[in-house]
Amino acid sequence: MSAAGQMRFPLRERAGTFAHKRMADDERLRVAEILLVEDNPGDVRLMREAFHEVATPHRLNVVGTGGEALRYLRREEGHVAAPRPDLVLLDLTLPDIHGMEVLAAMKGDAALRRIPAVVFSSSEVREEVVEAYNLNANSFIAKPADMREYLRVVKGMEEFWLTVVKLPKE
């Protein structure tokens, strides 16, 4: 730390994004698997458009119900060959199983609990935010209403979850 109380980094790390330099070539070239759990076709379309702007190679897989999300994650009934997601984007308001129940099932399953789960919801109710974190959500993001803000949020998720963070492999 400097005398001013600020942490100093060597020039070589400040010169560029050092997270990229530390990543092995095979990790940089790998396609990130993202599972979007969303029942609203408009929100699915927005997410597809936003991820179209993302530079990181990725595949956005979409399921529309909580039950289908759990079958996908567990590779059951029609999802036997489903890729293991690197990231789950989870809406809370789903037609069959509430998103909180999906989150609880994910984080309660030893085979799934390490997959990062980002609650991406229209809700900003404090109790839901607290409950999501109590169930070990990795983050809670309120869906932006403005398209420009929506793009900014998705690019931020990409930068953090698909570029900076070291994700667990199977």
Side-chain angles (χ1 to χ4, degrees), residues 21-58:
K21 292 178 185 174
R22 291 184 182 165
M23 235 185 266
D25 285 339
D26 60 325
E27 288 182 38
R28 264 198 307 255
L29 299 175
R30 188 176 163 279
V31 173
E33 295 290 344
I34 303 165
L35 177 61
L36 173 62
V37 185
E38 175 62 67
D39 66 316
N40 182 315
D43 285 342
V44 171
R45 190 186 80 250
L46 278 173
M47 188 62 77
R48 285 192 189 283
E49 288 177 19
F51 266 98
H52 186 70
E53 301 295 318
V54 165
T56 303
H58 67 280

Side-chain angles (χ1 to χ4, degrees), residues 86-141:
D86 294 302
L87 178 66
V88 174
L89 304 177
L90 178 64
D91 186 29
L92 293 180
T93 311
L94 299 168
D96 59 347
I97 299 174
H98 193 272
M100 291 293 187
E101 293 176 68
V102 174
L103 180 61
M106 273 184 73
K107 297 304 182 174
D109 185 326
L112 304 174
R113 73 173 50 122
R114 287 184 309 276
I115 300 171
V118 174
V119 173
F120 197 68
S121 176
S122 300
S123 175
E124 292 186 63
V125 176
R126 183 186 182 286
E127 291 78 17
E128 286 189 328
V129 174
V130 169
E131 183 180 359
Y133 282 111
N134 284 341
L135 292 171
N136 297 311
N138 296 90
S139 59
F140 190 110
I141 300 173

